Amino acid sequence: MADSYPADGGTYDERPRRRRGRRALVILVILLLVLAALLVVADRVAAGVAERVVADQIDKEISRKNVQSSAPEVTVGGFPFLTQVLNGRYDSVKVLLRDVQGPVEGSNATVKVPEVTVDARDVTASLDTLRSGQGEVTAKTVRGTGTVTYDSVVALIDRPGVQLREQDGKLGVTAPVQVPIINQELTVQGIANLTVEGDEIVIGFDQLTSADLPNNPLIKTFVSNFARQLSVRVPLPPLPFALQLHEVRPLPNGLAVTASARDVALSEVS
């Protein structure tokens, strides 16, 4: 077929056709960007719903332990979230509990932990559980960290003037002691032995010294006995999620504790 030309013998202008092609391409790109944005928004909305469901169930779990805290703050990790929903498995679920405190049995003291962070990995929760809020949420591994305030520990020691501090990675103590043998008050210092027994932090003081300590066996024995009286067991608030305490170390603001567990239920709601 022969090419057609304008009646005046000129050629057709291809620019309008090119402009229409570019305009269609721009519109397509915009539509794709809008669709992607909508998918991201939907993904985040779904994640928010799941976080609220998990938070509600964890709140019930904590209440059963007679532990007080602020409302759990839950973050579900991994992207995209919707594919995790379909699989019923989630990369991670992080829980932040603020102002955690629990009573000490047989005492008026309260152990305070300003923040507890729980990091659950390989979490399983069915779509029905997320939709209804009924069911089980389990995790392959759970790791919890928090810091017990020195004020809580001092309250359990229950000796006036005792001060605790982090000293070169160890727990140091300073305390006044009235020595009746010489009718004099001395300021003694020492380093604690920190161990873990079950859900308790065991703080033991074997030796306390003072620059003003006389070289007198009776006085040294008295100070040694006083050091043992400062020793204390610090029970943590009942730990949720079957967490087992396994590490404690002093920090400037308190005793940092680490606990962990495997194959545990984050919540069981009937």
Side-chain angles (χ1 to χ4, degrees):
M1 177 182 294
D3 293 337
S4 59
Y5 294 94
D8 60 3
T11 59
Y12 286 114
D13 190 348
E14 294 291 333
R15 286 176 295 181
R17 184 180 300 175
R18 293 195 189 99
R19 284 198 295 270
R20 288 195 297 271
R22 285 197 295 270
R23 188 181 302 114
L25 179 60
V26 169
I27 292 173
L28 177 60
V29 170
I30 292 174
L31 288 175
L32 289 175
L33 291 175
V34 170
L35 178 60
L38 290 175
L39 289 174
V40 170
V41 170
D43 193 84
R44 291 300 88 198
V45 169
V49 172
E51 289 166 357
R52 287 193 295 273
V53 170
V54 174
D56 289 343
Q57 295 198 19
I58 289 176
D59 194 35
K60 295 175 183 177
E61 171 72 12
I62 294 171
S63 297
R64 283 198 290 266
K65 297 287 186 179
N66 197 29
V67 175
Q68 298 180 7
S69 77
S70 63
E73 301 173 32
V74 177
T75 303
V76 178
F79 184 85
F81 172 77
L82 292 175
T83 59
Q84 297 183 87
V85 172
L86 295 176
N87 293 330
R89 304 185 72 89
Y90 305 85
D91 295 339
S92 69
V93 174
K94 293 185 178 180
V95 182
L96 175 61
L97 302 173
R98 302 181 190 272
D99 302 321
V100 179
Q101 55 183 306
V104 177
E105 187 175 351
S107 169
N108 293 326
T110 299
V111 175
K112 298 179 181 179
V113 186
E115 288 189 358
V116 173
T117 301
V118 178
D119 187 4
R121 298 282 176 167
D122 196 6
V123 178
T124 302
S126 69
L127 180 58
D128 286 340
T129 295
L130 295 181
R131 185 172 56 242
S132 66
Q134 306 290 322
E136 185 179 72
V137 180
T138 61
K140 191 69 176 177
T141 63
V142 180
R143 184 175 185 269
T145 58
T147 303
V148 180
T149 63
Y150 286 135
D151 288 345
S152 295
V153 181
V154 170
L156 290 174
I157 293 176
D158 196 22
R159 292 277 178 173
V162 173
Q163 295 180 355
L164 299 176
R165 66 191 181 281
E166 183 271 334
Q167 182 176 325
D168 299 326
K170 298 180 179 180
L171 179 61
V173 63
T174 300
V177 55
Q178 185 69 34
V179 183
I181 301 173
I182 57 176
N183 194 26
Q184 181 181 346
E185 183 177 272
L186 301 178
T187 298
V188 291
Q189 299 177 343
I191 299 296
N193 298 315
L194 284 177
T195 56
V196 170
E197 291 185 12
D199 289 338
E200 293 185 328
I201 303 170
V202 182
I203 302 176
F205 295 97
D206 294 329
Q207 295 291 330
L208 296 176
T209 62
S210 171
D212 300 324
L213 187 65
N215 187 20
N216 183 306
L218 291 177
I219 295 177
K220 289 184 176 181
T221 300
F222 178 85
V223 172
S224 295
N225 290 335
F226 175 77
R228 284 189 287 273
Q229 292 171 17
L230 294 183
S231 300
V232 68
R233 304 176 77 92
V234 182
L236 294 184
L239 299 175
F241 322 127
L243 287 169
Q244 297 295 313
L245 181 65
H246 60 77
E247 181 185 20
V248 57
R249 56 192 179 89
L251 294 178
N253 59 332
L255 296 177
V257 296
T258 302
S260 61
R262 296 184 63 85
D263 300 318
V264 298
L266 297 185
S267 63
E268 291 186 27
V269 181
S270 58

